[in-house]
Amino acid sequence: MTGSSSGVSKGVNAGAQGSTEQMNAEIQASANEKKLSDNHTMPNHSSAQTPKEKFLNYSLDYTNPKAKGKAEAYEKGLGYTKKNAKGLIEQIHNAVTNGKSSPYEISKSEYGVKYKYRIPVTGTNGKTKNVIAVYQIDNGSKIPRLVTNYLEGK
């Protein structure tokens, strides 16, 4: 993302702007997906680290104030909780490390290069939804690691 925005624009109602920003983000995501070739993979993808602690202590932890509803979204959307997290973690990890999934967005930050994946995950409830998983190769490192994840949409 480039630049910054206060989220409020003169003459535009905040709700309409939010919808426009969401639509623009979706258009940009589609454009990014088209730019990346089908055989584009993250460097060292087969060595990527997907720590279970990222799920148990963050994404699936109802008590973590930084998770902002991720645990509830995973439970309601796919049926995953801390107790059955293994299936969720394995699906994400396997999709990235087998090289069959391609990142749809690549960005560089002061910390390294981020690779954003959209991974279809089937839940314990039988539903399949996309999980956004972001891996980063830190500056000075060659091994990608999961830095965040969330259920796409509602």
Side-chain angles (χ1 to χ4, degrees):
M1 217 150 108
T2 58
S4 64
S5 171
S6 66
V8 179
S9 176
K10 288 185 180 179
V12 177
N13 134 341
Q17 183 179 355
S19 298
T20 302
E21 287 174 358
Q22 170 117 13
M23 187 170 57
N24 288 340
E26 289 172 8
I27 291 168
Q28 185 60 48
S30 286
N32 287 342
E33 284 182 276
K34 289 176 185 170
K35 287 180 190 175
L36 296 171
S37 66
D38 288 338
N39 58 4
H40 180 83
T41 57
M42 175 174 61
N44 301 312
H45 65 275
S46 60
S47 300
Q49 298 173 351
T50 309
K52 66 181 179 183
E53 295 78 18
K54 190 60 132 170
F55 294 88
L56 301 180
N57 300 331
Y58 178 65
S59 303
L60 299 174
D61 185 354
Y62 274 93
T63 65
N64 188 323
K66 294 181 182 178
K68 295 186 180 179
K70 288 183 183 186
E72 183 177 6
Y74 274 121
E75 185 172 11
K76 285 184 176 179
L78 292 171
Y80 283 113
T81 66
K82 285 183 174 187
K83 291 179 181 177
N84 62 3
K86 185 178 179 184
L88 172 65
I89 297 166
E90 285 178 351
Q91 287 182 71
I92 293 168
H93 182 75
N94 292 339
V96 171
T97 59
N98 69 18
K100 292 181 182 175
S101 294
S102 298
Y104 71 88
E105 181 179 302
I106 300 171
S107 61
K108 186 162 177 54
S109 75
E110 63 184 295
Y111 304 108
V113 180
K114 291 182 179 181
Y115 297 83
K116 190 181 272 191
Y117 289 85
R118 180 175 285 117
I119 301 168
V121 171
T122 301
T124 60
N125 60 9
K127 294 180 183 177
T128 300
K129 296 187 178 250
N130 289 327
V131 170
I132 303 301
V134 181
Y135 284 77
Q136 179 172 289
I137 299 177
D138 295 321
N139 294 331
S141 177
K142 293 183 180 183
I143 306 298
R145 65 181 179 90
L146 180 75
V147 292
T148 194
N149 63 89
Y150 54 92
L151 195 61
E152 183 176 48
K154 293 186 179 186

